[in-house]
Amino acid sequence: MNDRLKQVFPYLLLVPAVLPLVYVSGILYPYVTPKTFLLQGSGALALAVFSYLALAGQAFFYARLREPATWIPAALLSVAYVASLSGTDFYHSFWGLLERGDGLLTLTVITVSFYLILLYAPTPSGVGVPTISVGTDRKFLERLIKTITVVAGIVAGIAVLQWVTLVLGGRAWFLPPITGRIGSTLGNAAFLAGYLGMALFVALVALRDANRLWRRIGTTTVALSVLAILLAATRGTILALLVAGVVALAFLGWKGVGEWRRYARYGFAALVVIAGLFFVFRTELANAPFEPVRRIAQISLSEGTVSSRLFVWSHIAEEALERPFSGYGAEHIARIFDTVYDPGKIVEQWFDRSHNAFLDYFAQYGIFGLALYLALIGAFALYARRLDVIFLLLILTYALQNFFVFDTPASLWLLYALFALLIVRSEEPVTPVSLKPRPPLIAGAVAGLIALVIIPTVVLPLYANILLTRGYLYHLIDVNRANASFERGLALGTYADLEYGYQAYSMYTDHQAIQLSGEDRVAAYSYALATLTKNFEAYPYDARTATYLGHVLDTAPPEIAVDDVFDQQVLSRAIELSPLRAQAWYMMANIALRKADALPQGDRGKEQYFREAIAVLEEYAQKEATLSVPRYILASLYYKLGDTITAKKWADEAFPLYTHFDVAAAQPAVKYYLAIGDWRRAVRFLTDLVDNDPSDYDVLYDLAKVTYLAGDPAAAVRIVEQLRSSNPAILGTDQNFLNAITAYEQSQK
């Protein structure tokens, strides 16, 4: 038994190194959740096997724990737990979200993995050489380096193939689907670049110290990794690698010898020239067809992504300073983001990371968490400086790119594993020590209890994911069957409940409320309402749940009577948690507008409800001075009340604020300008609506008519000709316009 477990144990330690390759279709978040579940499961099994072996008297390198640097990961984990216990919600902090699984549980598994590698890995025979000469597993560290190298090469190769198929306009069945920029088996360009930005240097170590075959493998991995990072067009990693390259060339040019010194100086000079030319032709390069060059050239303080990041960083930092020592706890960046969210300053709706790892650690775990994270990076750099300059460049790249992105389990595990490798390689040979052997029954019981942790942490959440996916497949064709699957998943009592609520909202508002009717729509609504209501009560700090629940209530089937008191309670909390988020304000106004619509035409009570809606929207317009949407809605409402002067005032305020397409603004703007007969401005907004959805022939026909009224019959004719070929039946719905445009066509012959 002991011999078999000793053989299995090192391979369990290497499982996380293979996880970047894992992609499992047919479940929710196929790029991320399988990796997280396998990481947690393999970590629990590794700890169980280690416990059995240690209690059975197997020798390990316990003396390494005397090294002060080895306690940094444990101290960081302890601070994370303390901060989360005093933070917003420890339950959510521990489990995280099903979407990514980044919670205390995952951090615990990664930290345990660090210590298991540290206690197990034999001491190398010489500093800087990965070949093992003593111990029971002489090739473990070498195997670790090679595994990371091979996996990174395959991940990078898949990314390159994705890019090639994308350029050729096709899609290979054997490649993971692409959403946005290429992401290989990690599914996200930033995650891909962040991982490869570190693994690239591991491949360089394998390339430098290996034989002929592994030199080829290392060379291939390095080339593919650099190419994949460029094609992923993740600016943070590209800039970090450029800085690392400059540092390396400067060091070799100063300290190098012989040809390496001369080549480094030439390379440094070439980089300076290229950088100068890049800045000279930056305007032209900002429109280059090659995305990596274009994205880097577009960097400026006013560029959309950059301005959004700066807004998020500054405001989250301000909120984090409110709790500088305790932090808000793991996985509660979203709460801070919701508080400071401003739709006039940022495009993204929901953030659960600040896209700056250092700020994330500070906001979640306070100043002590940030200090320990910096200490981890600093200790890594000190060991690398003594042992291997390649690893020094690795930690430099990691620190720089994490200023713009955040860790995933793949990149964080890689950091911890390499830190353990550096500590092992830096020490003098030590003798493994065994604990006093315990009876096999005790050792087996302890190991078995640890292994059983897999059931609540991996098996049940994975099954909940499968049931959620299964229900999604039926949510339009068989609502009752879908709901039954969802109920089974929720009954498991896992941390997937929040994700179930988010998906219930998406399924209902995006699909079911539009495509279903009758009992099916009512059943879909009832499930979404019940799920989100339960989460609304369980997670009172979650603005996303409150907003989604309000939207579901706002789109209730006509045969369902909405509880307006509860609706107001939901929306009031949504506004309290995220004061500038527009949706809750609009839906609060809709409560009064629904009451107005329920009254018969000419009823004087309508005006009262209109005034209530106007009061809500005017309050929001005062808070948010950069949005055109509430102002156009106010213009339409005042016009209905017959107050054309006030209506014009709001519309005149709104027009200069409409700087980019927004369907929520374009629709009320069209209604208002059509009502007052401002055909030219109506054309402007109808054109945007048509560009957004060319298949909406009703809007396209409206554009033809308004274009004609605006004094451009030739343009109207072109639209009519388009409709004659795509949807000729719609032309007969307005005989007067058809007669007018036909007469114009004949006059031009």
Side-chain angles (χ1 to χ4, degrees):
M1 179 70 172
N2 285 11
D3 291 338
R4 290 182 180 179
L5 291 179
K6 283 191 288 186
Q7 292 175 353
V8 170
F9 183 60
Y11 292 98
L12 287 174
L13 297 181
L14 292 175
V15 168
V18 185
L19 295 184
L21 288 176
V22 175
Y23 165 80
V24 181
S25 61
I27 62 175
L28 196 66
Y29 305 118
Y31 295 98
V32 181
T33 53
K35 296 180 178 65
T36 303
F37 291 143
L38 286 172
L39 173 67
Q40 295 168 349
S42 65
L45 286 177
L47 181 60
V49 172
F50 170 81
S51 300
Y52 182 90
L53 292 174
L55 292 173
Q58 174 66 35
F60 291 97
F61 295 95
Y62 300 108
R64 288 176 181 154
L65 296 178
R66 297 171 184 169
E67 185 74 20
T70 63
W71 290 99
I72 296 176
L76 177 56
L77 181 65
S78 300
V79 168
Y81 269 90
V82 171
S84 300
L85 284 168
S86 62
T88 302
D89 178 9
F90 180 78
Y91 176 84
H92 179 55
S93 292
F94 181 79
W95 292 104
L97 286 172
L98 188 66
E99 177 181 358
R100 202 166 47 245
D102 283 356
L104 292 177
L105 174 60
T106 300
L107 181 59
T108 302
V109 170
I110 291 173
T111 305
V112 168
S113 178
F114 164 80
Y115 285 107
L116 294 182
I117 293 174
L118 188 70
L119 296 177
Y120 171 78
T123 306
S125 58
V127 174
V129 182
T131 304
I132 310 303
S133 63
V134 296
T136 57
D137 186 358
R138 299 183 178 183
K139 292 185 177 295
F140 177 76
L141 294 185
E142 182 180 355
R143 194 181 300 129
L144 175 63
I145 292 289
K146 289 181 176 179
T147 302
I148 294 169
T149 300
V150 172
V151 170
I154 297 173
V155 169
I158 292 173
V160 173
L161 287 176
Q162 282 183 324
W163 184 83
V164 171
T165 57
L166 189 64
V167 170
L168 295 177
R171 178 183 178 275
W173 62 268
F174 56 87
L175 295 176
I178 303 171
T179 55
R181 307 200 311 275
I182 59 171
S184 187
T185 50
L186 288 111
N188 180 289
F191 296 169
L192 170 67
Y195 167 74
L196 291 179
M198 300 173 67
L200 165 67
F201 294 97
V202 179
L204 286 173
V205 172
L207 172 63
R208 182 195 61 195
D209 298 324
N211 58 26
R212 181 178 300 176
L213 174 62
W214 281 98
R215 281 182 179 273
R216 292 176 181 174
I217 294 174
T219 301
T220 303
T221 295
V222 169
L224 288 174
S225 296
V226 171
L227 183 57
I229 290 169
L230 287 174
L231 297 178
T234 300
R235 292 176 289 193
T237 300
I238 293 174
L239 292 175
L241 287 176
L242 286 174
V243 172
V246 170
V247 170
L249 290 173
F251 177 80
L252 287 174
W254 180 36
K255 292 285 190 179
V257 294
E259 291 185 350
W260 284 106
R261 185 176 187 181
R262 185 170 68 255
Y263 291 152
R265 290 180 175 181
Y266 288 152
F268 188 83
L271 278 179
V272 171
V273 172
I274 292 172
L277 291 173
F278 187 88
F279 282 104
V280 170
F281 297 101
R282 180 180 170 187
T283 303
E284 292 77 7
L285 292 173
N287 298 311
F290 189 49
E291 188 174 19
V293 174
R294 183 174 68 250
R295 281 175 57 81
I296 292 176
Q298 289 174 346
I299 294 177
S300 69
L301 294 179
S302 60
E303 190 261 334
T305 303
V306 175
S307 62
S308 292
R309 295 291 184 270
L310 292 175
F311 172 84
V312 170
W313 293 349
S314 62
H315 286 74
I316 287 185
E318 290 178 5
E319 292 296 317
L321 287 171
E322 296 293 322
R323 303 180 67 171
F325 297 105
S326 62
Y328 288 84
E331 293 301 296
H332 286 295
I333 300 292
R335 174 188 171 185
I336 308 175
F337 173 77
D338 291 336
T339 302
V340 303
Y341 171 77
D342 186 340
K345 301 292 177 58
I346 187 171
V347 176
E348 294 90 340
Q349 282 284 316
W350 307 102
F351 263 6
D352 58 8
R353 287 292 184 275
S354 68
H355 285 260
N356 182 310
F358 303 96
L359 182 55
D360 285 346
Y361 275 89
F362 176 53
Q364 293 178 107
Y365 312 131
I367 192 66
F368 300 112
L370 175 60
L372 287 166
Y373 181 60
L374 293 173
L376 177 64
I377 294 173
F380 191 111
L382 288 175
Y383 278 100
R385 181 175 177 271
R386 294 201 302 262
L387 293 174
D388 198 325
V389 69
I390 293 179
F391 282 106
L392 187 60
L393 294 174
L394 182 152
I395 197 62
L396 174 63
T397 301
Y398 171 83
L400 290 175
Q401 72 180 13
N402 271 27
F403 194 80
F404 303 99
V405 292
F406 52 90
D407 271 317
T408 63
S411 60
L412 188 61
W413 176 87
L414 187 55
L415 175 72
Y416 275 55
L418 295 177
F419 187 38
L421 181 150
L422 286 175
I423 294 173
V424 171
R425 287 173 56 177
S426 70
E427 70 179 6
E428 295 295 329
V430 294
T431 303
V433 178
S434 60
L435 303 176
K436 181 181 179 181
R438 303 295 178 183
L441 184 62
I442 294 177
V446 172
L449 289 174
I450 295 174
L452 286 175
V453 171
I454 294 175
I455 295 176
T457 59
V458 177
V459 176
L460 293 181
L462 176 59
Y463 189 40
N465 188 318
I466 293 171
L467 290 172
L468 178 56
T469 307
R470 186 181 300 171
Y472 181 84
L473 296 175
Y474 292 99
H475 78 281
L476 285 176
I477 59 177
D478 192 337
V479 175
N480 291 329
R481 184 173 180 178
N483 288 352
S485 182
F486 297 145
E487 294 298 341
R488 287 175 60 196
L490 286 169
L492 296 174
T494 69
Y495 66 96
D497 54 350
L498 264 178
E499 189 63 44
Y500 268 71
Y502 297 159
Q503 293 298 324
Y505 160 79
S506 178
M507 286 185 289
Y508 177 73
T509 58
D510 292 344
H511 305 290
Q512 293 171 318
I514 301 169
Q515 300 180 44
L516 300 180
S517 60
E519 293 182 358
D520 284 343
R521 182 178 175 181
V522 171
Y525 168 79
S526 299
Y527 164 73
L529 177 65
T531 303
L532 285 164
T533 299
K534 186 175 180 180
N535 289 346
F536 176 77
E537 296 168 353
Y539 305 101
Y541 54 83
D542 188 28
R544 192 173 177 182
T545 292
T547 304
Y548 284 179
L549 177 55
H551 195 181
V552 167
L553 289 165
D554 193 57
T555 54
E559 56 266 48
I560 296 293
V562 176
D563 184 346
D564 290 336
V565 175
F566 178 63
D567 196 2
Q568 287 179 330
Q569 177 188 348
V570 169
L571 295 174
S572 295
R573 182 189 292 179
I575 291 171
E576 178 185 357
L577 295 172
S578 190
L580 295 183
R581 193 175 295 280
Q583 295 92 326
W585 290 93
Y586 300 155
M587 291 184 291
M588 185 72 84
N590 281 347
I591 295 176
L593 294 178
R594 283 200 304 265
K595 295 176 180 178
D597 290 340
L599 296 177
Q601 193 66 30
D603 192 309
R604 293 185 177 182
K606 279 182 174 291
E607 180 176 348
Q608 176 186 346
Y609 290 129
F610 279 148
R611 296 290 181 187
E612 290 180 11
I614 285 172
V616 172
L617 293 171
E618 286 185 334
E619 181 180 355
Y620 180 63
Q622 289 178 351
K623 293 177 178 291
E624 177 51 77
T626 62
L627 292 185
S628 59
V629 182
R631 288 159 175 79
Y632 274 126
I633 298 175
L634 284 167
S636 298
L637 290 175
Y638 272 113
Y639 186 82
K640 285 185 178 181
L641 291 176
D643 189 347
T644 57
I645 295 176
T646 307
K648 184 177 185 304
K649 166 187 167 295
W650 283 112
D652 289 345
E653 280 190 24
F655 188 75
L657 298 176
Y658 186 84
T659 56
H660 59 276
F661 172 72
D662 183 353
V663 66
Q667 290 175 339
V670 166
K671 292 180 181 179
Y672 173 74
Y673 289 124
L674 289 178
I676 67 171
D678 189 338
W679 312 123
R680 292 187 181 278
R681 289 192 172 180
V683 166
R684 156 79 187 282
F685 291 96
L686 282 168
T687 301
D688 283 354
L689 291 172
V690 168
D691 291 342
N692 180 62
D693 185 5
S695 64
D696 191 336
Y697 297 116
D698 290 327
V699 175
L700 185 60
Y701 196 27
D702 287 341
L703 177 60
K705 290 183 280 188
V706 175
T707 301
Y708 181 86
L709 293 171
D712 192 355
V717 167
R718 290 193 292 271
I719 298 173
V720 169
E721 289 175 348
Q722 179 182 345
L723 287 169
R724 283 180 178 139
S725 62
S726 57
N727 189 2
I730 198 172
L731 296 174
T733 59
D734 191 334
Q735 194 62 44
N736 291 331
F737 171 71
L738 184 59
N739 293 339
I741 202 70
T742 302
Y744 173 78
E745 288 177 304
Q746 292 175 349
S747 69
Q748 300 300 306
K749 294 181 179 179

